[in-house]
Amino acid sequence: MHDRKLDSTNVHEVNDLINNLNTSNACGIDGVTARNLKDAGPGICHVLTYIFNKPITDCVCPQLWETPVVSPLLIEGDRECSNNYRPISLLPICSKLLERIIHDRIYDHLREVDFLTDSQSGFRKGHSTTTCLLSFLDSIFKEIDVGRVSGVLFLDLKKAFDSVNHQQLLNKLTDTGLDGSAVNELDPIWETVTRCAGSMM
């Protein structure tokens, strides 16, 4: 399997991403809002395209774009108990645009190499909890039709995302044939990100 490099972006793609921004989204530590980007879009698309391509081609990303403002969000229960909060990270809008560019390329690659299983519904275009439920029910009904009994085990992982081993995930991406330098660009975003404490609610 040949190593695949991520394709560079272009002005047309960047312009579309800016035009599709939701202006109600909160801004990050740089103070640049989605409305700012939309208003300035035609004049800065070429510059942003150049900046977005640096992480893709040279693994160089503006440090400020890797710096989230972290605020605690109460999930349930007593406000005095820290375990009842989940951290919410607000990254700069430009960082989110860069994430979308990289995400789309990695996702397309995983589809091309047929890496994603048909039974995975989470985080996939055209899939949802509804498609997951329909697939599950179809399997149950098929077993009932042939006279078999099905057993189901449901697992609910607390703070599931935090339990993911990032290095194993990066290794898995490399195993799919994604170029090592492309994978290495993801490492500092996950591992060396600087967290800024937001105000407590």
Side-chain angles (χ1 to χ4, degrees):
M1 186 180 293
H2 298 291
D3 285 352
R4 172 176 174 171
K5 295 184 180 294
L6 298 182
D7 296 328
S8 298
T9 188
N10 55 63
V11 173
H12 177 72
E13 181 181 18
V14 172
N15 188 60
D16 284 347
L17 287 171
I18 291 175
N19 287 335
N20 289 325
L21 280 173
N22 184 344
T23 54
S24 66
N25 287 347
C27 64
I29 195 171
D30 60 358
V32 178
T33 67
R35 172 53 60 193
N36 294 151
L37 288 175
K38 280 197 168 190
D39 291 343
I44 64 173
C45 265
H46 285 83
V47 175
L48 281 179
T49 301
Y50 173 80
I51 296 174
F52 287 152
N53 279 326
K54 293 301 282 182
I56 296 173
T57 59
D58 302 330
C59 296
V60 176
C61 185
Q63 186 175 1
L64 197 63
W65 288 7
E66 299 175 4
T67 306
V69 174
V70 182
S71 299
L73 177 67
L74 180 67
I75 302 301
E76 60 182 1
D78 184 5
R79 288 180 174 272
E80 301 300 320
C81 180
S82 61
N83 289 333
N84 293 333
Y85 288 85
R86 180 165 59 96
I88 299 296
S89 298
L90 292 178
L91 286 166
I93 302 292
C94 285
S95 177
K96 294 176 184 177
L97 295 179
L98 175 60
E99 282 183 1
R100 171 52 55 186
I101 291 168
I102 294 175
H103 165 273
D104 288 348
R105 281 147 179 73
I106 293 177
Y107 184 79
D108 288 344
H109 167 71
L110 294 179
R111 289 182 60 192
E112 287 174 15
V113 299
D114 200 27
F115 180 78
L116 301 175
T117 174
D118 290 337
S119 61
Q120 178 181 334
S121 291
F123 305 102
R124 294 186 65 187
K125 296 175 183 177
H127 292 257
S128 65
T129 52
T130 301
T131 57
C132 178
L133 182 58
L134 289 173
S135 176
F136 168 72
L137 289 175
D138 183 58
S139 298
I140 297 295
F141 290 143
K142 284 179 178 176
E143 294 302 302
I144 292 174
D145 288 343
V146 295
R148 287 197 288 258
V149 177
S150 297
V152 181
L153 174 64
F154 293 98
L155 297 177
D156 184 11
L157 299 178
K158 187 175 182 180
K159 299 181 180 178
F161 184 79
D162 294 335
S163 68
V164 174
N165 184 307
H166 291 161
Q167 190 54 54
Q168 287 184 5
L169 185 58
L170 294 174
N171 292 341
K172 183 74 76 172
L173 285 173
T174 303
D175 291 343
T176 68
L178 201 60
D179 180 71
S181 61
V183 173
N184 288 338
E185 169 53 27
L186 301 175
D187 192 29
I189 294 175
W190 277 331
E191 301 297 340
T192 63
V193 90
T194 303
R195 297 185 179 272
C196 295
S199 59
M200 294 293 291
M201 290 189 292

